[in-house]
């Protein structure tokens, strides 16, 4: 029997050393379960980058892989293909020579897409490959906005004052809402705020951890926009006196976003806050989390242990869920029973039994955890330890042969000890169960396109020890690629408390936190600030950002 393209893809990735046999087996099992493309599963699990996958697929299909970053596409070529079709099919015309159209595609095997483009353009299509995210980004850049925000707002106002309520008058409001969501995605925003004022409605986007001002909308469209979001989130459209929460999904190209909506009544109406979760970015390869090499080796050693509690700590929005999912993905396999209890289930993992908390039905973390222990698990993930009952059950599970992963809200790794004591655990229980605590936060990184050397302020350098004041200090000056902020994305900084026999002994003895920290430091532990400072000295972020995020942890 001839080999299928999927099998050939797996073999090519194995030969390149990109995948291990175990990782490929896991992906193939998930492919059989869901019916999705193998390449899509590999990228979702964080086992392969979209660029690597696209390059291998192009090689497999006998076509070349193209880097779209610096390509200029003639306007007459773009005009051959409507933006809506380009975005739907994830394709982009690059050039035309006679009756031949050069087309870059995310999926070079999509015969239907090729046929549709050939039928519309009346040309013969020649294909090149590229990553879907890169194509969508180029579509945004090449086509730009079809209509300005002012035109969209004006249409929405006309629709809201219209006496009729047929689909044609509702459409402009839908288009305005879609525009706001699309802008949030294009700007890499994690949250969208719709905040009503006395005379206008303010829009703001949280990009790289900071709120950025958006367009001010007229008061006339406030009720219609709020109603549209409520319909999408499936909450009570008639209720405006009480807070409400809902969720919905929003598609952008072939990417699917989970959106959590929160509605809060205030003096000028209802404020709407939307959190956007890109499910394709939730699971990364463990080596893509940005841990220092020595810390990475220790964290991987923790995951290889058969039992104990491993905690990930940090503030809300610091990437704890991504770290836990990536950790689970790295140890997932057909030889292990993994069960999770989460609120909510963020992403479906292959071979993993995932339980959704339902407080109204009585399914709390503690209640679910008791049932999970009767399911013969090897590894248990608890979304968050929130109360003493959950903490106690997790600790006992760890001491009876289970590996337990969870999150906790503390400022540093050692801080989890008094926090767990407050929840009712004794020092002896902690010493027996705890294997390691990983603390993390996010720092904003310099835009690589406009970063230039700079001299940090004297006040900032004065906070460093003399040996720490040398570095390749860099700062983004602002360009069109970073919206003139100088910032392009965020990355995690980490600090790991590896519970060695020496640390375990001091925990059991009830030693002060400073003594436990000192013991861990003597055995190789660093700090969040040291990791942040290292990034600043390498030019990845500014010294001021490192001091702002983590100076209190030194």
């Amino acid at each position: 029997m001839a080999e299928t393209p999927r099998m050939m893809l797996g073999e090519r990735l194995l030969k390149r050393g990109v995948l291990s046999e175990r990782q490929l087996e896991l992906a193939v099992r998930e492919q059989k379960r869901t019916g999705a493309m193998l390449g899509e599963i590999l990228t979702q699990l964080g086992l392969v980058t979209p660029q690597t996958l696209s390059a291998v697929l192009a090689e497999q299909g006998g076509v070349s892989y193209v880097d779209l970053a610096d390509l200029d596409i003639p306007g007459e070529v773009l005009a051959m293909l409507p933006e809506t079709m380009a975005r739907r099919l994830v394709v982009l015309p690059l050039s035309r020579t006679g009756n031949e159209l050069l087309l870059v595609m995310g999926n070079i095997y999509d015969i239907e897409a090729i046929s549709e483009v050939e039928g519309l353009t009346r040309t013969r299509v020649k294909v090149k490959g590229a990553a879907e995210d890169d194509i969508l980004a180029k579509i945004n850049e090449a086509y730009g906005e079809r209509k300005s925000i002012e035109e969209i707002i004006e249409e929405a106002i006309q629709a809201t004052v219209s006496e009729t309520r047929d689909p044609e008058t509702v459409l402009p409001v839908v288009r305005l809402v879609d525009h706001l969501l699309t802008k949030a995605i294009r700007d890499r925003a994690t949250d969208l705020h719709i905040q009503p004022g006395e005379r206008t409605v303010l829009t703001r986007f949280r990009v790289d951890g900071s709120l950025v001002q958006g367009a001010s909308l007229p008061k006339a469209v406030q009720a219609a926009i709020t109603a549209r979001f409520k319909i999408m989130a499936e909450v009570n459209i008639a209720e405006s006196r009480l807070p409400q929460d809902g969720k919905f999904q929003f598609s952008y190209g072939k990417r699917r976003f989970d959106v959590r909506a929160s509605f809060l009544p205030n003096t000028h109406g209802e404020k709407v806050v939307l959190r956007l979760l890109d499910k394709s970015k939730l699971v990364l390869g463990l080596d893509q989390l940005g841990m220092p090499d020595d810390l990475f080796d220790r964290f991987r050693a923790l995951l290889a242990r058969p039992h104990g509690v491993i905690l990930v700590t940090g503030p809300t929005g610091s990437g704890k869920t991504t770290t836990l999912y990536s950790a689970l993905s790295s140890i997932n396999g057909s030889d292990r029973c993994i069960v999770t209890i989460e609120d909510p289930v963020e992403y479906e993992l292959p071979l993993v039994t995932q339980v959704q908390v339902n407080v109204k039905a009585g399914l709390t973390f503690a209640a679910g955890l008791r049932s999970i222990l009767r399911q013969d698990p090897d590894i248990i993930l608890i979304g968050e330890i929130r109360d003493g009952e959950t903490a106690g059950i997790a600790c006992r599970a760890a001491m009876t042969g289970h590996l337990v992963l969870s999150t906790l809200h503390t400022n540093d790794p050692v801080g989890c000890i008094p926090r767990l004591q407050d929840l009712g655990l004794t020092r002896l229980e902690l010493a027996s169960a705890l294997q390691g605590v990983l603390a993390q936060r996010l720092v904003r990184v310099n835009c690589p396109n406009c970063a230039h050397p700079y001299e940090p302020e004297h006040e900032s350098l004065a906070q460093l020890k003399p040996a720490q004041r040398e570095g390749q200090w860099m700062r983004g000056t602002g360009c069109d690629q970073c919206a003139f902020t100088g910032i392009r994305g965020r990355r995690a900084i980490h600090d790991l408390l590896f519970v060695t026999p020496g640390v375990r002994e001091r925990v059991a003895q009830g030693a002060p936190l400073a003594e436990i920290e000192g013991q861990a430091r003597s055995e190789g532990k660093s700090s969040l600030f040291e990791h942040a400072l290292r990034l600043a000295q390498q030019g990845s972020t500014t010294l001021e950002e490192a001091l702002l995020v983590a100076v209190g942890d030194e």
Side-chain angles (χ1 to χ4, degrees):
M1 180 182 293
E3 292 177 326
T4 65
R6 289 175 183 169
M7 287 300 294
M8 291 170 62
L9 170 64
E11 289 181 358
R12 286 178 182 270
L13 292 169
L14 284 175
K15 288 179 180 178
R16 284 190 173 205
V18 176
L19 282 182
S20 67
E21 291 278 1
R22 180 175 178 179
Q23 289 171 329
L24 179 59
E25 177 194 355
L26 180 66
V28 169
R29 283 178 178 268
E30 179 67 357
Q31 188 272 329
K32 291 178 179 177
R33 183 180 72 85
T34 64
M37 299 291 289
L38 181 62
E40 180 182 345
I41 292 168
L42 290 170
T43 55
Q44 287 179 346
L45 292 177
L47 301 176
V48 175
T49 66
Q51 288 73 20
T52 299
L53 176 66
S54 298
V56 172
L57 284 171
E59 175 188 285
Q60 175 185 317
V63 304
S64 57
Y65 178 81
V66 60
D67 184 358
L68 299 173
D70 299 320
L71 282 181
D72 291 323
I73 305 173
E76 61 271 17
V77 175
L78 286 174
M80 297 178 66
L81 206 65
E83 180 186 0
T84 52
M85 178 184 286
R87 195 177 296 281
R88 173 170 56 84
L89 300 177
V90 195
V91 300
L92 188 63
L94 299 181
S95 63
R96 178 176 181 174
T97 305
N99 194 44
E100 184 176 86
L101 179 66
L102 183 59
L103 190 73
V104 63
M105 306 182 66
N107 178 10
I108 63 172
Y109 296 106
D110 193 342
I111 304 300
E112 292 182 0
I114 294 174
S115 177
E116 188 173 345
V117 172
E118 287 183 335
L120 176 69
T121 61
R122 298 184 182 277
T123 61
R124 183 170 62 87
V125 165
K126 181 180 178 181
V127 173
K128 285 195 173 186
E132 289 188 356
D133 284 356
D134 293 345
I135 294 175
L136 288 170
K138 195 66 178 181
I139 288 173
N140 296 336
E141 175 190 323
Y143 284 96
E145 295 285 354
R146 282 297 183 90
K147 289 186 177 181
S148 68
I149 180 64
E150 290 77 13
E151 291 176 299
I152 297 174
I153 291 173
E154 182 61 32
E155 290 179 355
I157 293 175
Q158 295 300 321
T160 56
V161 299
S162 173
E163 294 182 0
T164 61
R165 282 295 177 266
D166 57 49
E168 291 299 318
T169 61
V170 175
L171 185 60
V173 176
V174 173
R175 189 179 295 122
L176 176 55
V177 166
D178 287 351
H179 171 85
L180 292 172
L181 289 169
T182 300
K183 176 174 172 54
I185 293 170
R186 288 179 179 177
D187 292 351
R188 300 175 295 103
T190 56
D191 300 86
L192 166 60
H193 291 231
I194 314 292
Q195 183 171 339
E198 185 177 356
R199 295 182 177 86
T200 60
V201 179
L202 184 66
T203 65
R204 293 191 290 178
F205 302 84
R206 189 171 294 281
V207 181
D208 297 329
S210 300
L211 281 174
V212 178
Q213 181 81 30
S216 292
L217 308 178
K219 195 74 172 176
V221 301
Q222 176 183 324
I225 289 176
T226 303
R228 173 59 184 166
F229 279 125
K230 284 186 173 182
I231 290 170
M232 296 172 74
E234 298 183 343
V235 301
N236 186 354
I237 193 173
E239 178 59 70
S240 60
R241 298 168 299 174
L242 296 174
Q244 296 188 85
D245 296 305
K247 60 183 179 180
F248 59 93
Q249 291 188 338
F250 185 77
S251 296
Y252 180 74
K254 292 192 176 181
R255 292 161 66 192
R256 190 180 66 189
F257 288 78
D258 279 349
V259 184
R260 298 181 201 162
S262 173
F263 303 87
L264 181 68
N266 62 48
T267 53
H268 299 296
E270 290 178 90
K271 181 181 179 183
V272 183
V273 175
L274 306 164
R275 168 151 290 185
L276 292 86
L277 178 68
D278 186 353
K279 300 183 79 168
S280 67
K281 306 290 186 184
L282 194 58
V283 182
L284 303 173
L286 203 58
D287 57 350
Q288 297 179 44
L289 296 177
M291 298 180 184
D293 291 341
D294 54 342
L295 189 149
F296 173 74
D297 291 339
R298 284 191 157 198
F299 187 63
R300 199 164 52 173
L302 286 178
L303 296 174
R305 294 188 174 181
H307 56 80
V309 174
I310 301 172
L311 298 175
V312 179
T313 75
T316 301
S318 60
K320 298 188 298 294
T321 300
T322 298
T323 297
L324 282 179
Y325 273 30
S326 300
L328 270 192
S329 181
S330 72
I331 58 179
N332 192 6
S334 57
D335 58 337
R336 288 176 171 175
C337 174
I338 302 177
V339 186
T340 76
I341 180 161
E342 308 168 63
D343 184 22
V345 173
E346 306 273 19
Y347 180 87
E348 292 186 20
L349 294 167
L351 302 178
V352 177
T353 302
Q354 293 172 270
V355 180
Q356 167 76 55
V357 165
N358 188 338
V359 177
K360 290 182 179 179
L363 181 53
T364 62
F365 277 113
L369 193 51
R370 282 194 296 269
S371 297
I372 286 172
L373 289 173
R374 295 191 286 271
Q375 290 282 312
D376 186 32
D378 297 300
I379 302 168
I380 302 169
L381 184 145
I382 307 169
E384 182 182 347
I385 294 179
R386 297 177 178 174
D387 53 62
E389 188 177 7
T390 304
I393 298 172
C395 185
R396 288 191 292 274
M399 291 190 290
T400 54
H402 304 87
L403 184 64
V404 180
L405 284 70
S406 189
T407 68
L408 200 65
H409 287 284
T410 62
N411 291 326
D412 55 30
V414 177
C416 78
I417 296 172
R419 173 66 179 138
L420 290 172
Q421 282 186 290
D422 288 342
L423 293 176
L425 298 184
T426 67
R427 286 277 186 142
L428 288 175
E429 287 175 325
L430 285 173
S432 299
L434 198 61
Q435 297 292 339
V437 184
L438 178 72
Q440 66 180 60
R441 294 180 195 167
L442 298 178
V443 296
R444 299 180 299 173
V445 299
N446 293 324
C447 173
N449 188 59
C450 63
H452 286 84
Y454 85 110
E455 184 64 27
E457 298 178 359
H458 175 73
E459 292 78 3
S460 299
L461 290 171
Q463 298 183 55
L464 305 180
K465 298 174 183 177
Q468 297 174 329
R469 294 174 185 172
E470 296 296 326
Q472 300 295 321
W473 312 112
M474 302 283 284
R475 178 171 58 193
T477 56
C479 64
D480 55 356
Q481 292 191 19
C482 61
F484 299 96
T485 63
I487 302 297
R488 183 72 177 177
R490 291 185 293 174
R491 62 169 294 171
I493 54 173
H494 300 94
D495 179 17
L496 177 65
L497 174 65
F498 192 86
V499 182
T500 62
V503 170
R504 195 179 308 281
E505 181 179 353
R506 279 159 179 75
V507 172
Q509 292 172 347
L513 296 186
E515 186 177 329
I516 297 173
E517 175 74 16
Q519 176 67 32
R521 287 293 190 109
S522 70
E523 297 177 347
K525 180 183 178 296
S526 60
S527 69
L528 287 169
F529 175 70
E530 287 173 350
H531 190 189
L533 178 61
R534 191 182 315 171
L535 295 178
Q537 290 171 330
Q538 295 169 352
S540 296
T541 189
T542 63
L543 175 58
E544 289 73 21
E545 176 73 8
L547 292 169
L548 176 68
V549 172
V551 68
D553 298 282
E554 174 59 15

